[in-house]
Amino acid sequence: MFCIYLLNVSYLLRRQKLNHEKITIFTPSYNRAYCLHQCYDSFVRQTNQDFLWLIIDDGSTDNTKELVQGWIDEDKIAIQYHYQENLGMHGGHNAAYRLIETELNVCIDSDDFMPDDAVEVILNHWQHIEHKAEYAGLVGLDADKNGSIIGTKIPDNISATTLYDIYNKHGVLGDKKLVYKTEVVKKYPSYPIFEGERFVPLGYLYQLIDQDYVLYPVNQVFCIVEYMADGSSMNILKQYRNHPKGFAFRENREWH
C-alpha cells in the first residue's frame, strides 16, 4: 500500500511539473532512435529550461520507447511520451496539438535540434508580444550544422507579418521556424486523415492562421536542420505520388 502511495505521489509531481512549463517543444518521430539523441542533447544544454519536450512516437518499431524511457528516468529535462499508430507527420502534429497544455509550442523534427540558447531567445522575444491579441506567435530562422542561415533573413524593418507575406511580399527564401500560441492553434481543425495515406502538407494550418493573425519576426536561429535521406523534405516527389488525397486537399486550399 505504501509503495502504491509513493508511485501515485511521484506521478502527481511529474504531472505538476509538466503543466508548469512555458513552451512545449514537440517532436513527431517514426523509427528515428538512431538520431533522436541530437534533439535530447540540445535540450539538455538549453540555457533556459522552461520547456517540456513532447515526443509523439508515430508507430515506431525500433527502440524509441526504451530510449525515451531512459531519458525520462534520467530526469534532466521534462519529457512527455505519447505512442500512437502510424499516421504520418500531420497525424503527429494532430496529437501534439491535442495534448499540449503550455502557452507556446514549437515543432523540432526528429532529425533536427536547437541552438543552446534557442528557448531563451524565444521566450525573451515572446515578452514583446505576449499580451497582443493580433499575434499568433513568432517566426525565426533555421540554420544548417555549419551555422549558415537556410535561405535568407527576414527584413529587419518589419515587426508584424504573415508567413505568406514573408515569402510573397518580402521575398524571403528558405524554411523558417514557427512558434505558435497554443490557444491559437487549438482554434483550427485537425489535419484530415485519409485511409491508406500518411501525408498532408503542414502548410494548410499555417494558411488558416495567416488569415486571422500576424507573426512577430525574429532574425535569430531557433532550429538547426539536417535534411536526412529518409526525411519528407528529401522525398517530396515520392510523397506526392503516394499521397494524392493529402496533396489534393492542400492544393484545393491554397493561399489567396
Side-chain angles (χ1 to χ4, degrees):
M1 183 69 178
F2 181 66
C3 291
I4 294 174
Y5 173 76
L6 287 178
L7 287 172
N8 287 337
V9 170
S10 177
Y11 171 78
L12 290 173
L13 288 174
R14 181 172 293 279
R15 287 304 307 155
Q16 187 177 46
K17 181 179 180 182
L18 296 183
N19 288 334
H20 280 102
E21 314 309 298
K22 187 74 171 181
I23 181 171
T24 295
I25 304 167
F26 70 93
T27 301
S29 184
Y30 174 68
N31 287 343
R32 285 294 181 84
Y34 69 92
C35 65
L36 201 57
H37 64 89
Q38 290 187 117
C39 282
Y40 175 69
D41 291 342
S42 77
F43 299 154
V44 171
R45 294 193 303 266
Q46 289 302 304
T47 55
N48 186 322
Q49 292 283 313
D50 194 9
F51 67 90
L52 164 68
W53 186 25
L54 170 61
I55 301 107
I56 305 296
D57 187 344
D58 193 41
S60 295
T61 57
D62 61 7
N63 64 322
T64 294
K65 182 178 181 179
E66 292 76 17
L67 182 67
V68 173
Q69 185 59 56
W71 293 333
I72 292 173
D73 293 342
E74 288 180 0
D75 200 26
K76 291 183 177 180
I77 58 174
I79 299 176
Q80 182 178 359
Y81 174 83
H82 172 77
Y83 181 88
Q84 65 181 24
E85 65 175 292
N86 182 237
L87 296 173
M89 178 67 78
H90 65 296
H93 279 241
N94 284 346
Y97 295 143
R98 185 176 68 251
L99 294 168
I100 291 170
E101 298 177 358
T102 57
E103 187 173 358
L104 299 172
N105 67 84
V106 60
C107 178
I108 301 296
D109 289 336
S110 55
D111 51 356
D112 299 337
F113 58 97
M114 299 182 91
D116 293 356
D117 64 347
V119 171
E120 182 176 359
V121 168
I122 288 169
L123 295 184
N124 285 344
H125 282 282
W126 170 242
Q127 295 177 17
H128 300 310
I129 62 164
E130 66 177 313
H131 300 300
K132 297 181 178 180
E134 67 271 26
Y135 285 92
L138 313 171
V139 55
L141 305 178
D142 284 348
D144 63 25
K145 285 189 172 182
N146 296 320
S148 299
I149 301 301
I150 303 297
T152 57
K153 289 187 174 183
I154 306 165
D156 289 321
N157 62 338
I158 58 173
S159 59
T161 181
T162 62
L163 189 61
Y164 178 88
D165 282 350
I166 283 177
Y167 295 112
N168 295 278
K169 179 179 178 180
H170 302 295
V172 175
L173 302 175
D175 290 339
K176 300 294 175 275
K177 184 53 60 180
L178 297 164
V179 180
Y180 279 124
K181 293 180 185 177
T182 300
E183 67 177 6
V184 168
V185 173
K186 287 181 179 289
K187 291 180 180 180
Y188 297 92
S190 299
Y191 294 103
I193 303 296
F194 296 108
E195 186 175 357
E197 296 194 12
R198 297 292 183 270
F199 188 83
V200 171
L202 300 175
Y204 161 65
L205 173 62
Y206 313 149
Q207 171 188 347
L208 294 179
I209 295 174
D210 260 7
Q211 295 174 6
D212 301 320
Y213 295 91
V214 293
L215 296 163
Y216 185 80
V218 178
N219 267 320
Q220 290 180 264
V221 177
F222 291 175
C223 181
I224 306 296
V225 304
E226 182 175 6
Y227 297 111
M228 305 286 280
D230 60 347
S232 60
S233 295
M234 297 295 288
N235 293 277
I236 193 65
L237 292 179
K238 181 180 179 181
Q239 299 278 24
Y240 194 92
R241 290 194 300 269
N242 292 342
H243 307 96
K245 293 178 183 177
F247 277 93
F249 176 83
R250 192 280 306 272
E251 289 170 359
N252 290 333
R253 291 160 177 82
E254 286 289 354
W255 278 308
H256 52 78

